[in-house]
Amino acid sequence: MRTFSLDIGNTAVKYGYFQDDVLVESATHQTPDQVRAAVQRLQPEHAIVASVAEPTATWATELCDTLPGLVLEFVPASTPLPIQNGYATPHTLGADRLAAAVGAAWLLHGRNVMIIDAGTAIKCDLVDANGVFRGGSISPGLAMRFQALHTFTGRLPLVERPANLVTPIAFTGDNTLSAIQSGVLNGAAAEVRGFVEEYRAQYPGLAVVLAGGDAAFFHARLKGSIFVIPELVLLGLHRILVHHVST
């Protein structure tokens, strides 16, 4: 089966082209014209569209005009899933969080899995060994933290994220720039480490999966075995589409 997953995020539009569960091609920061050209070139059979930023109808309609098969608009509250959704308010659940959970549960079937999706926001979510999405936490991402300190204070400057996020940041900043960098970067790392430690205490043998644009930053700062799967959301969307087509 050839599928096309389209993930419309807060800061970027991404696509993934799969052949029988293998991600053959993906791209980020795509315009509508680039997506259209990719679909015409790759000729997928089916597609799925998910968004946390804008309605999916326009994208889906355009794909319907191009593809021979199903074009699925992913709605977390109503789209059939290969896992159970235990979230109390599914109508408020972001498509990216649920798709990442589906991808993690498929890759690590039968295990308790913590998913850390580090992008515009930092989402720490849990899928248990029975394949039930339990929910988790949402906090500001790295760029948002830097921006907030500047926006909501009178004199703190806007500090850009370091180009190399893997390099350690001094814990004790000796000037305003380095103090902000320490607070944002070391603070975010300490926050996520705390969540990992708490989940590991509650769920022995927990698997931890990292995804999102800032995955490398957290991978360099977390201990223990960590799976880094940058395209986890695209994989989850693909598995939701396969489940839908097969049933």
Side-chain angles (χ1 to χ4, degrees):
M1 184 186 299
R2 304 188 311 279
T3 70
F4 191 85
S5 297
L6 187 62
D7 173 24
I8 304 165
N10 288 301
T11 55
V13 173
K14 296 160 277 189
Y15 75 77
Y17 172 66
F18 292 83
Q19 291 184 2
D20 298 327
D21 295 328
V22 176
L23 179 60
V24 176
E25 179 179 313
S26 65
T28 306
H29 299 296
Q30 295 294 288
T31 65
D33 285 343
Q34 289 172 318
V35 170
R36 189 182 304 112
V39 170
Q40 292 173 347
R41 173 172 51 83
L42 297 168
Q43 294 293 302
E45 299 168 90
H46 308 287
I48 182 170
V49 184
S51 175
V52 296
E54 61 183 78
T56 58
T58 301
W59 292 89
T61 299
E62 182 154 330
L63 289 171
C64 281
D65 293 339
T66 309
L67 270 63
L70 172 71
V71 176
L72 177 64
E73 292 184 67
F74 178 40
V75 181
S78 58
T79 301
L81 300 169
I83 64 172
Q84 263 185 276
N85 188 356
Y87 208 62
T89 56
H91 59 286
T92 69
L93 178 58
D96 55 344
R97 293 175 66 195
L98 193 52
V102 170
W106 181 73
L107 286 170
L108 296 157
H109 181 72
R111 293 185 65 179
N112 297 306
V113 185
M114 177 186 179
I115 304 109
I116 305 166
D117 189 353
T120 304
I122 299 169
K123 286 91 68 178
C124 297
D125 288 314
L126 181 79
V127 180
D128 68 23
N130 296 315
V132 180
F133 176 74
R134 295 298 183 186
S137 63
I138 306 171
S139 66
L142 301 182
M144 195 184 300
R145 294 177 192 226
F146 281 118
Q147 182 67 55
L149 280 174
H150 173 64
T151 301
F152 296 106
T153 63
R155 297 181 64 183
L156 289 179
L158 176 60
V159 177
E160 298 294 333
R161 291 192 315 169
N164 183 359
L165 286 173
V166 177
T167 301
I169 300 297
F171 194 75
T172 303
D174 61 2
N175 56 59
T176 301
L177 172 64
S178 60
I180 291 173
Q181 287 181 332
S182 178
V184 169
L185 300 175
N186 292 327
E191 173 190 312
V192 172
R193 276 197 301 269
F195 276 109
V196 172
E197 290 170 5
E198 185 64 30
Y199 275 126
R200 280 176 171 161
Q202 294 183 38
Y203 298 92
L206 178 79
V208 180
V209 176
L210 269 168
D214 290 331
F217 168 79
F218 289 101
H219 186 234
R221 290 160 174 81
L222 295 177
K223 297 178 181 178
S225 178
I226 308 288
F227 298 92
V228 181
I229 307 170
E231 307 303 345
L232 185 64
V233 172
L234 294 175
L235 174 62
L237 291 174
H238 162 75
R239 290 306 309 171
I240 292 167
L241 179 57
V242 170
H243 176 77
H244 195 83
V245 170
S246 65
T247 56

